[in-house]
Amino acid sequence: MHYHDITKISTATPELPVWQYLKQLYDRHLPNRSGQLASYIPELAAVEPDGFGISFATTDGFVYEIGDTERQFTIQSVSKAVIYGLALEDHGHDVVLRKIGVEPSGDAFNSITFDEKNNRPFNPMVNAGAIAASALIRGDSHEERYQRILDIFERFTGRRLALDAAVYQSESLTGHRNRAIAYLELNSGMIDGDIDAHLDLYFRQCSLLVTTRDLALLGATLANGGINPVTRKRAISADNVRAVLSVMNTCGMYDYAGGWQFDVGLPAKSGVGGGITAVLPGQLGIGVYSPRLDAVGNSARGVGVCEDISANFRLHLFQDRGSGLVPFRRLYRGDEVHSRRMRRGAQAKKLDRFGHLISVYELQSELGFSEAERVTRRLIEDLSSAYYFILDLTRVVRMDAVALDLLNAARRTLQEAGKTFAIVTVSDEVPAEFEQQMHFPSIDLALEYFEDRLLEQAGAQDETTSVPLAEFDLLAGLDAGMMAQLEAELMPQPFVPGQTLIAQNVPADDLFFLISGRVEVAVRMGNGPSHRVSTVESGTMFGELALFGRAPRTADVIAVTEGLAMVLDRAGIERLAASAPKTWSALLLAVGSSLSERLRRANGEIRALSR
């Protein structure tokens, strides 16, 4: 393969692993036509019954969607969570708690029952509590109060919601039970003011048109501490998010609240319009729409979808899913950070130009669904701009089965696109599912391997070949006379694999010009193992410290292959300085330029690794 072949990156967007799962989930639940349309509101009984959409929104603002995700439907009781949050914003916890309780009622959502001991509705997720919450919305006029309701929904969803006038009129004309609830609350002193105005706000909030994307972003905003992950605008305070999620957790799914918590385990709110929003705090929001309702008024498909999502992705609130920390420690490309192999100038320049095709992902902490979703999404996003993918797992302390499945799905997608995928782990800790994959014990070795592949495909000269002294990049500034003076002082030193050419802590007496072969520079730390600092190729130099005095060597230099070095020893250095000062100065300048270039590269790598 020639290098230019791998630069022809496909513009097709592959399917993200989570989207692949959502597609399978959608197909699995699509045949389910159980349940009935809501009949007590005439307009809801007339909707198209087979609509079905699923949306995921993460706390970093990415949305997955499948199905009828652009279809608009009325939000109905899902609005209760938002209006409760607005009441808390307007009055604070203590005032609202005196007006509306937080206990499950044990009765239907539209039951005409109250907490008589405390003279208040049981909770804000039943109609009595929601009407009381609407009565608490501040404003100098009815229109101002309604505009404030629209404003908070816009902060949650990121767009201005429209009113379904037909549903609003239908609810207003047939909402006799809600009127009875409101007047009983007025009679008992639970609410005061203009009852018709409060009910109008309640009917309007329930008749706002939303999509599954809106419900997912509503959930993601709650998951994100009250900040919309797309617009970055705060909807409600973090303290009030906690209160809203607490009540959603215990009271949000009508008479199925307990079973929902046992089976799904996510704070959620459903509506008789067929919508469900669910929240995994700190990680994501889910929006589902399907208008056929089960016996307690929840979307039949929606409940099944959420049960599967929770089980398959281990999203239950009390499931041990890992730390929830940012999964990326570092992200960089091969043009920003090279391996520790010291290459000749032409090859280093090729890696500067084309190294971006190597992409490195250093992961950390624990990987569950949410963390793996972010990692796989980033891998697929980079598919169009990289060819080699290195996934470093050495700092991952635990990876659950869901994360492993998502990573394997991403790996298959990359390989199907003709890309190469490798993992880095401690040698004896390769996950069984990754055993057949290319594996390295360090990022450095993985980088070196893929750099070699890039250079091969670019047609670069093999670095194992012999390089005459006259072709050393380092010595390009010396004229023919200077080269002759330098060569006169050099002595050949052949070497074999494993031979120590420089020993750590001995005086720096010799400068080596590597004509052929390869050597490794390694540092010994006490009695522990040596750590590779760099690998030096033919056409380069090592041992520069000899030019600046006899300070102790800071590292070992050991031959990796057989080869030949030309050595300028201490006596030769002193003779050259005395008899050929211009050559000596030119050599010092060349070494200084080489060190300066290495420092420039090191600073660039530090910047890349510090991002």
Side-chain angles (χ1 to χ4, degrees):
M1 176 187 291
H2 296 294
Y3 180 81
H4 64 268
D5 293 332
I6 66 174
T7 64
K8 294 179 179 178
I9 302 294
S10 171
T11 58
T13 301
E15 295 179 356
L16 294 166
V18 172
W19 194 88
Q20 295 174 27
Y21 169 80
L22 286 183
K23 184 177 180 181
Q24 296 168 4
L25 184 72
Y26 178 86
D27 291 341
R28 182 162 65 251
H29 288 274
L30 184 61
N32 177 11
R33 287 178 170 79
S34 63
Q36 303 294 324
L37 296 175
S39 59
Y40 69 95
I41 301 174
E43 284 294 323
L44 295 186
V47 302
E48 199 284 307
D50 291 324
F52 183 27
I54 308 170
S55 296
F56 267 24
T58 63
T59 51
D60 63 348
F62 192 85
V63 180
Y64 297 90
E65 300 183 302
I66 187 168
D68 299 320
T69 56
E70 295 183 2
R71 178 173 298 189
Q72 296 195 93
F73 54 93
T74 53
I75 191 169
Q76 298 298 327
S77 288
V78 178
S79 66
K80 294 172 180 175
V82 175
I83 298 304
Y84 181 56
L86 182 54
L88 290 168
E89 292 283 302
D90 280 353
H91 299 279
H93 288 200
D94 292 342
V95 170
V96 174
L97 193 58
R98 287 196 296 270
K99 295 286 187 178
I100 309 168
V102 293
E103 299 294 337
S105 67
D107 295 305
F109 66 94
N110 59 354
S111 176
I112 305 179
T113 57
F114 303 96
D115 176 1
E116 295 181 1
K117 179 181 178 181
N118 295 293
N119 195 44
R120 62 187 181 185
F122 278 101
N123 65 73
M125 301 296 125
V126 295
N127 289 11
I131 292 169
S134 296
L136 290 172
I137 303 309
R138 293 188 185 278
D140 293 334
S141 66
H142 182 66
E143 182 60 28
E144 182 182 343
R145 295 172 71 202
Y146 179 54
Q147 289 302 314
R148 294 191 65 240
I149 288 174
L150 293 178
D151 289 344
I152 194 168
F153 275 105
E154 184 173 4
R155 294 199 295 273
F156 269 100
T157 65
R159 71 182 186 94
R160 200 71 167 179
L161 301 184
L163 182 76
D164 187 320
V167 172
Y168 163 64
Q169 290 295 331
S170 183
E171 293 211 32
S172 298
L173 292 173
T174 61
H176 307 308
R177 191 177 186 89
N178 287 323
R179 285 190 173 84
I181 291 172
Y183 277 101
L184 281 173
E185 289 178 311
L186 177 65
N187 183 67
S188 301
M190 298 178 191
I191 62 176
D192 53 30
D194 187 338
I195 294 299
D196 289 336
H198 300 333
L199 284 167
D200 185 71
L201 290 180
Y202 176 71
F203 293 142
R204 284 177 180 273
Q205 76 191 42
C206 291
S207 303
L208 294 174
L209 287 166
V210 292
T211 65
T212 57
R213 181 186 183 93
D214 294 326
L215 295 188
L217 285 172
L218 192 160
T221 299
L222 291 170
N224 198 38
I227 297 174
N228 185 301
V230 175
T231 66
R232 306 307 302 169
K233 294 181 179 179
R234 179 168 289 283
I236 59 174
S237 71
D239 283 347
N240 289 334
V241 166
R242 185 186 69 176
V244 170
L245 288 177
S246 297
V247 178
M248 289 173 66
N249 195 46
T250 56
C251 310
M253 294 299 290
Y254 300 138
D255 292 349
Y256 180 48
W260 173 273
Q261 271 310 301
F262 188 83
D263 294 331
V264 180
L266 298 174
K269 187 69 193 83
S270 62
V272 294
I276 295 177
T277 187
V279 181
L280 180 59
Q283 300 190 36
L284 71 139
I286 301 169
V288 187
Y289 169 67
S290 182
R292 286 192 176 96
L293 309 179
D294 60 21
V296 296
N298 297 316
S299 169
R301 276 181 181 150
V303 169
V305 164
C306 290
E307 287 175 344
D308 277 2
I309 291 172
S310 177
N312 295 339
F313 287 159
R314 296 163 58 90
L315 299 186
H316 196 290
L317 199 59
F318 302 115
Q319 175 74 50
D320 182 8
R321 296 180 308 276
S323 65
L325 297 177
V326 175
F328 297 112
R329 180 173 181 263
R330 293 186 183 122
L331 300 169
Y332 50 89
R333 296 295 181 101
D335 57 339
E336 299 174 303
V337 177
H338 291 184
S339 73
R340 295 172 185 168
R341 189 154 157 184
M342 188 185 303
R343 302 183 187 271
R344 297 182 64 194
Q347 291 147 339
K349 289 178 181 177
K350 284 186 181 294
L351 293 178
D352 285 341
R353 181 180 177 187
F354 300 118
H356 66 276
L357 294 172
I358 304 172
S359 193
V360 181
Y361 310 82
E362 294 186 22
L363 306 185
Q364 64 183 0
S365 189
E366 302 179 355
L367 298 186
F369 163 75
S370 182
E371 295 82 12
E373 182 275 329
R374 293 185 64 180
V375 173
T376 56
R377 175 156 40 100
R378 181 58 185 262
L379 288 171
I380 302 305
E381 287 173 355
D382 290 346
L383 187 146
S384 63
S385 61
Y387 193 81
Y388 298 114
F389 294 77
I390 301 171
L391 201 64
D392 176 26
L393 304 176
T394 55
R395 294 176 180 82
V396 174
V397 296
R398 188 182 66 173
M399 183 190 312
D400 69 20
V402 173
L404 201 51
D405 286 347
L406 288 179
L407 290 177
N408 270 318
R411 170 182 56 80
R412 289 190 294 270
T413 298
L414 293 174
Q415 292 171 336
E416 288 167 2
K419 307 306 172 71
T420 302
F421 178 92
I423 63 169
V424 175
T425 69
V426 177
S427 297
D428 59 352
E429 294 182 1
V430 183
E433 292 80 357
F434 280 132
E435 284 181 354
Q436 302 304 314
Q437 302 310 307
M438 191 176 298
H439 167 257
F440 296 91
S442 72
I443 291 177
D444 181 50
L445 292 175
L447 276 172
E448 181 178 340
Y449 176 83
F450 289 127
E451 287 173 352
D452 288 345
R453 303 292 78 75
L454 275 179
L455 292 172
E456 287 173 4
Q457 292 158 10
Q461 180 181 345
D462 186 353
E463 290 180 331
T464 63
T465 60
S466 178
V467 180
L469 199 65
E471 295 181 12
F472 274 48
D473 297 325
L474 177 73
L475 302 177
L478 276 67
D479 60 27
M482 292 176 178
M483 286 294 296
Q485 291 173 328
L486 175 61
E487 289 177 340
E489 298 293 347
L490 298 178
M491 296 178 294
Q493 181 174 332
F495 53 82
V496 296
Q499 179 178 340
T500 299
L501 302 179
I502 289 177
Q504 189 170 323
N505 296 322
V506 303
D509 283 333
D510 301 313
L511 177 64
F512 295 77
F513 297 88
L514 194 57
I515 302 299
S516 64
R518 186 187 307 162
V519 300
E520 183 174 278
V521 181
V523 175
R524 285 178 279 117
M525 306 298 291
N527 296 323
S530 296
H531 297 278
R532 180 174 85 151
V533 174
S534 65
T535 298
V536 182
E537 301 289 349
S538 56
T540 56
M541 176 183 64
F542 61 91
E544 297 95 331
L545 195 61
L547 293 175
F548 304 102
R550 303 191 65 185
R553 294 288 191 187
T554 58
D556 295 324
V557 179
I558 301 172
V560 177
T561 66
E562 66 178 21
L564 173 67
M566 301 300 290
V567 182
L568 182 63
D569 63 12
R570 171 59 52 189
I573 291 172
E574 292 174 353
R575 285 194 298 271
L576 197 62
S579 63
K582 290 185 177 180
T583 302
W584 165 251
S585 297
L587 182 60
L588 284 179
L589 182 62
V591 170
S593 297
S594 174
L595 294 175
S596 175
E597 173 62 15
R598 276 194 258 173
L599 180 60
R600 182 191 67 80
R601 289 186 179 277
N603 287 336
E605 292 185 3
I606 290 171
R607 284 192 295 271
L609 295 174
S610 299
R611 286 202 299 261

